[in-house]
């Protein structure tokens, strides 16, 4: 029986299932693999190291402990060095003190030698004047120049700072005159005192044993008063050789005496004046001869 040829059965090819979001494959891939492989490896290693290492708090405490140990070591080494160097410093200090004391003693010896030589020169000068026919006029010149010691009746004047004297000024009236009211005796005060004594008839004047001459200067250096560059400390004792009672009265009534009285009344400066029967005024430390003329004949110059 002829029949129609049979056709082979048709195989159906299975179709691949597709995702609903297949049209957004790139965006989906990015979302599924948001972390790069390299970053993922690094994160894995870091996590493993964190689990195997010490906690952060323990590491911080360990670092602090190491720092404290180092600081303690530095302090210990410094203390040991200071202890070792202390005897050396003490020895150097003692040597410096000994040197200062030695130099001071040498300076005192030199000063004594200068005083002796000065006295010897003065004695030789007086002897030479007498041998050359010295007269009373020459003796008077020596007295006025401060070349010889003078003693006789006169006045003793003591000038001292106020009891509550201070170091700085407070802007009172004396400040307008060039110095402030501190209750301290100033160089200008002593200048007026000495000039007043000279004008009142004093023949020789000294302050705290320092002889004044026509070339003497009374200045200030800070809070100190200098007489011929020698510092003096209060109280200031002024000795003036002359007619005692007359010199005292004339000075106290003079403008300079009244000025000293005003300092006592207004600023508390302490003063005391008295007449003395015998006052000794030393010779000036050095007498500088500015001009001289050779002797033309015996007894004259």
């Amino acid at each position: 029986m002829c029949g129609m040829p049979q056709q082979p059965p048709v195989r159906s090819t299975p179709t691949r299932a597709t995702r609903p979001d297949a049209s957004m494959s790139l965006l989906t891939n990015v979302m599924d693999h948001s972390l790069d492989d390299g970053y993922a490896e690094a994160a894995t290693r870091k996590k493993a190291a964190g689990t195997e290492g010490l906690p952060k708090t323990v590491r911080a405490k360990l670092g602090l402990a190491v720092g404290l140990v180092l600081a303690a070591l530095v302090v210990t080494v410094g203390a040991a060095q200071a202890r070792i160097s202390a005897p050396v410093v003490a020895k150097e200090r003692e040597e410096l003190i000994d040197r200062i004391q030695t130099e001071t003693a040498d300076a005192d010896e030199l000063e004594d030698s200068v005083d002796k030589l000065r006295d010897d020169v003065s004695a030789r000068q007086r002897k030479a004047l007498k041998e050359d026919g010295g007269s009373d006029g020459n003796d008077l010149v020596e007295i006025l120049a401060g070349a010889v010691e003078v003693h006789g009746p006169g006045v003793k004047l003591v000038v001292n700072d106020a009891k509550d004297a201070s170091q700085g000024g407070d802007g009172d009236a004396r400040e307008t005159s060039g110095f402030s009211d501190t209750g301290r005796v100033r160089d200008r005060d002593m200048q007026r005192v000495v000039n007043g004594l000279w004008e009142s008839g004093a023949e020789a004047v000294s302050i705290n044993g320092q002889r004044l001459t026509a070339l003497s200067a009374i200045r200030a250096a800070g809070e100190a008063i200098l007489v011929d560059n020698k510092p003096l400390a209060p109280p200031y004792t002024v000795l003036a050789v002359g007619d005692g009672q007359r010199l005292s009265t004339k000075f106290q009534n003079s403008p300079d005496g009244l000025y000293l009285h005003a300092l006592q009344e207004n600023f508390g400066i302490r003063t005391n004046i008295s007449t003395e029967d015998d006052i000794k005024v030393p010779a000036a430390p050095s007498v500088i001869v500015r001009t001289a003329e050779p002797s033309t004949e015996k007894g004259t110059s």
Side-chain angles (χ1 to χ4, degrees), residues 67-91:
L68 291 176
V69 170
L70 291 177
L73 182 61
V74 171
V75 173
T76 303
V77 172
Q81 291 179 347
R83 181 175 297 179
I84 294 173
S85 62
V88 178
V89 174
K91 183 178 179 181

Side-chain angles (χ1 to χ4, degrees), residues 11 15 42 47 53 61 64 81 87 136 147 149 177 179 184 193 210-211 215 223 225 256-258 261 271 289:
R11 293 182 178 178
T15 59
K47 184 177 181 181
K61 292 180 179 179
L64 179 60
Q81 291 179 347
D136 294 338
E149 181 183 279
S177 302
F179 42 87
R184 297 176 63 87
V193 168
Q210 186 78 5
R211 178 74 173 272
L215 302 178
E223 296 291 336
I225 294 179
D256 297 312
L258 296 176
H261 181 71
T271 64
V289 179

Side-chain angles (χ1 to χ4, degrees), residues 42 54 72 83 127 155 172 207 229:
L54 295 174
R83 181 175 297 179
K127 183 178 179 181
V155 169
D172 270 3
I207 302 178
N229 295 324

Side-chain angles (χ1 to χ4, degrees), residues 18 60 106 262 290 298:
T18 59
D106 293 341
R290 302 268 183 184
K298 188 175 182 180

Side-chain angles (χ1 to χ4, degrees), residues 10-11 31 79 83 97 116 118 147 149 152 154 157 162 171 186 189 238 251 274 276 300:
V10 180
R11 293 182 178 178
M31 294 296 293
R83 181 175 297 179
I97 293 175
K116 292 179 181 178
R118 185 180 292 116
E149 181 183 279
L157 173 62
R186 301 296 183 179
D189 302 336
V238 183
F251 170 75
S274 61
E276 303 290 335
T300 62

Side-chain angles (χ1 to χ4, degrees), residues 1 3 15 18 28 40 58 63 75 113 116 124 162 176-177 206 226 230 246 250 258 262 273 283 285 287 289:
M1 172 172 183
T15 59
T18 59
T28 303
V58 177
V75 173
S113 177
K116 292 179 181 178
R124 291 176 182 271
T176 60
S177 302
S206 68
L226 305 181
K230 181 179 180 181
R246 182 173 178 273
K250 191 172 182 180
L258 296 176
I273 187 170
V287 178
V289 179

